[in-house]
Amino acid sequence: MDKFVKLTGVAAPLPVVNVDTDMIIPKDYLKTIKRTGLGTGLFAEARYKEDGSENSDFVLNKPAYRNAQILVAGDNFGCGSSREHAPWALLDFGIRCVISTSFADIFYNNCFKNGILPIIVSQENLDKLMDDASRGSNAVLTVDLEAQEITGPDGGKIAFEIDAFKRHCLLNGLDDIGLTLEKASSISTFETANAAQRPWA
């Protein structure tokens, strides 16, 4: 998993509440267990018209936001089913950070396991960030996980809180497998001793 330390990128505004995982990645895209290739299906029902052409009104189809790496979204982002394809699709598109006033618990935890930083801010601060994100090509934010700060295009800073363990995992690029491998030496020592003490096992 890629480390997340500091990210400077374009922030796309999505002022929609209750964005569920089916909106993030429709069920038609759930036939694969690969984490790649899902970016094309991100917000598919909003990004594309029935004939498959792009909907020019959708934010991620606008020239200024095609390479957005940050999403500023409405309350209760990621609600609905627990599909892990939702963070996979965001990541494959290039989104590394989602900012909202609240997230569905399973989606929130899945983000950390896939290298995405979900940030919870107050409504007042979300309104400021949504305004920043509405500046098109000037909608550049810097998210500093070490300092736990978001810096806006005008230099204003917003502090955010995050669980210390989840922060450690993102800073070091550790998913569940990575955390286990950190203990590889201890596991090997145990297995060697256990084999000597219980050769029949």
Side-chain angles (χ1 to χ4, degrees):
M1 189 173 81
D2 290 339
K3 296 179 181 181
F4 189 114
V5 180
K6 182 185 285 189
L7 171 68
T8 297
V10 171
L14 189 67
V16 180
V17 299
N18 301 319
V19 172
D20 63 21
T21 51
D22 190 55
M23 181 178 176
I24 297 171
I25 184 73
K27 61 183 181 299
D28 297 347
Y29 294 88
L30 306 186
K31 299 171 184 176
T32 179
I33 57 171
K34 294 181 179 179
R35 301 186 185 198
T36 56
L38 290 170
T40 56
L42 180 68
F43 297 117
E45 293 179 357
R47 280 173 68 197
Y48 307 113
K49 299 178 181 178
E50 289 186 8
D51 63 2
S53 62
E54 287 189 352
N55 172 11
S56 60
D57 291 331
F58 187 67
V59 63
L60 295 180
N61 289 337
K62 295 180 179 180
Y65 299 108
R66 283 186 178 274
N67 296 310
Q69 293 179 280
I70 301 166
L71 195 62
V72 182
D75 190 55
N76 196 30
F77 190 87
C79 58
S81 70
S82 60
R83 65 188 67 170
E84 197 167 10
H85 290 69
W88 291 355
L90 286 164
L91 192 62
D92 193 58
F93 180 86
I95 302 292
R96 292 293 314 276
C97 178
V98 182
I99 305 170
S100 181
T101 49
S102 71
F103 295 88
D105 285 345
I106 295 177
F107 174 83
Y108 182 78
N109 289 316
N110 278 342
C111 281
F112 287 102
K113 294 176 186 293
N114 288 282
I116 298 173
L117 172 61
I119 299 175
I120 298 173
V121 297
S122 67
Q123 184 62 55
E124 179 184 1
N125 284 332
L126 186 75
D127 291 342
K128 293 176 184 176
L129 293 168
M130 196 70 75
D131 181 64
D132 287 339
S134 299
R135 300 184 186 191
S137 58
N138 293 320
V140 176
L141 301 179
T142 295
V143 179
D144 188 331
L145 181 54
E146 285 189 312
Q148 295 180 212
E149 284 183 338
I150 304 167
T151 304
D154 295 333
K157 296 185 183 297
I158 293 174
F160 62 89
E161 296 297 322
I162 187 170
D163 175 81
F165 176 70
K166 288 180 169 64
R167 177 176 176 271
H168 167 79
C169 289
L170 272 183
L171 286 172
N172 294 282
L174 298 172
D175 56 12
D176 289 345
I177 294 173
L179 283 167
T180 301
L181 290 176
E182 279 195 319
K183 307 295 183 183
S185 178
S186 297
I187 294 171
S188 178
T189 299
F190 170 81
E191 292 291 350
T192 300
N194 187 57
Q197 295 170 6
R198 304 171 62 206
W200 62 87

